[in-house]
Amino acid sequence: MSEAVTGLGQELGGAKLTASSLRDQALRVIRARIISGELAPGRLYALGAVAEQLGVSVTPVREAVLDLAREGLVELARNRGFRVREMTDGDLDEIVELRRMIEVSAVRTIAERGLLADAEADRLREIAAATEKCAADGDWVGFLDNDRDLHMGLLAHLGNERLLTIVGSLRDQGRLYGLDHVAGSASLMESTHEHDTLIDAVAAGEADLAAAIMDRHLRHTRGIWAGHAEHSG
């Protein structure tokens, strides 16, 4: 494992943060850079270098990195910085298996109970469209924000905060391989477009179809997040 401290001029894409919610913004940007593959496993990243690149003090960056460590995305190097945690195929398989256990059943219940109103379905479709655009443009911060908002917004209709906490944590842990490897691929766009069919099925109360789409979507996504655009199941 390399002990060289990496400068972040290229890795962070020149992103600069504004004054509001610096911790949250730093968290979003660093997470997106990890997931896109721009911050690579095995390298040591200094907090000061990250803060300088983002144009903020070390404090919000340190707080963001602590959050990422709790999520399991990074490992802290005391008084030195952090390393991106490398996920094994076994780790990813376990995470997706858990998500299938939870989210397929949750979506089925939402559809069965008719919990997704027309107005809310339209809002989720708008988010789905934004997610597709970000995927096509390679805007990974926007893509991840919209993708998370869509999935969590749909699951929120069960009114179960513990479910949202668990699924949110699993989502963040599972996304550690390069999106840049699959940018613009047919597999990524197909997976993203599955959001529309999922929303339609839930809104129509077609519980079996909605559950099948969610299950396929999660299996499809497993391959994409592993960095293998050709994998679909």
Side-chain angles (χ1 to χ4, degrees):
M1 179 180 296
S2 172
E3 292 294 319
V5 176
T6 304
L8 299 192
Q10 182 174 1
E11 282 86 348
L12 289 176
K16 294 289 185 179
L17 304 188
T18 59
S20 63
S21 303
L22 292 178
R23 173 180 177 167
D24 290 343
Q25 290 186 62
L27 184 63
R28 289 172 58 235
V29 171
I30 297 170
R31 181 190 284 125
R33 297 305 184 255
I34 292 171
I35 294 165
S36 72
E38 293 180 32
L39 297 184
R43 298 182 185 178
L44 181 64
Y45 294 99
L47 297 179
V50 177
E52 181 179 359
Q53 178 61 31
L54 297 182
V56 298
S57 69
V58 172
T59 298
V61 171
R62 181 184 296 112
E63 292 172 344
V65 169
L66 287 173
D67 286 342
L68 292 169
R70 283 190 286 269
E71 294 174 8
L73 270 79
V74 304
E75 297 171 342
L76 302 177
R78 189 173 181 179
N79 297 324
R80 301 174 69 188
F82 66 93
R83 296 184 184 89
V84 175
R85 182 176 170 232
E86 183 138 26
M87 298 288 282
T88 66
D89 283 341
D91 292 328
L92 290 169
D93 288 340
E94 288 182 359
I95 289 166
V96 172
E97 183 178 25
L98 283 171
R99 288 189 61 189
R100 289 174 65 194
M101 290 177 181
I102 296 168
E103 294 181 63
V104 172
S105 176
V107 164
R108 181 189 297 277
T109 301
I110 294 167
E112 286 176 342
R113 296 180 183 176
L115 298 178
L116 184 61
D118 289 344
E120 183 60 18
D122 288 341
R123 189 184 76 84
L124 291 176
R125 290 186 184 99
E126 291 176 0
I127 298 174
T131 305
E132 286 197 49
K133 184 177 187 306
C134 290
D137 293 344
D139 174 8
W140 302 131
V141 173
F143 173 81
L144 295 169
D145 283 347
N146 283 295
D147 185 67
R148 185 185 182 91
D149 286 348
L150 190 150
H151 280 264
M152 303 301 279
L154 178 59
L155 295 177
H157 286 79
L158 282 178
N160 189 324
E161 289 298 324
R162 287 179 176 82
L163 179 145
L164 295 178
T165 298
I166 292 169
V167 172
S169 176
L170 290 171
R171 285 173 57 84
D172 291 337
Q173 290 177 48
R175 297 176 168 214
L176 290 177
Y177 289 89
L179 280 171
D180 281 343
H181 295 165
V182 294
S185 71
S187 292
L188 177 60
M189 298 312 299
E190 179 183 349
S191 175
T192 305
H193 188 65
E194 286 171 340
H195 292 147
D196 291 317
T197 56
L198 174 63
I199 295 165
D200 290 345
V202 174
E206 298 182 31
D208 289 343
L209 178 59
I213 293 169
M214 176 57 86
D215 187 65
R216 183 174 69 245
H217 181 64
L218 291 174
R219 288 187 288 109
H220 193 182
T221 299
R222 162 62 180 93
I224 291 174
W225 295 152
H228 301 295
E230 74 279 2
H231 179 84
S232 61

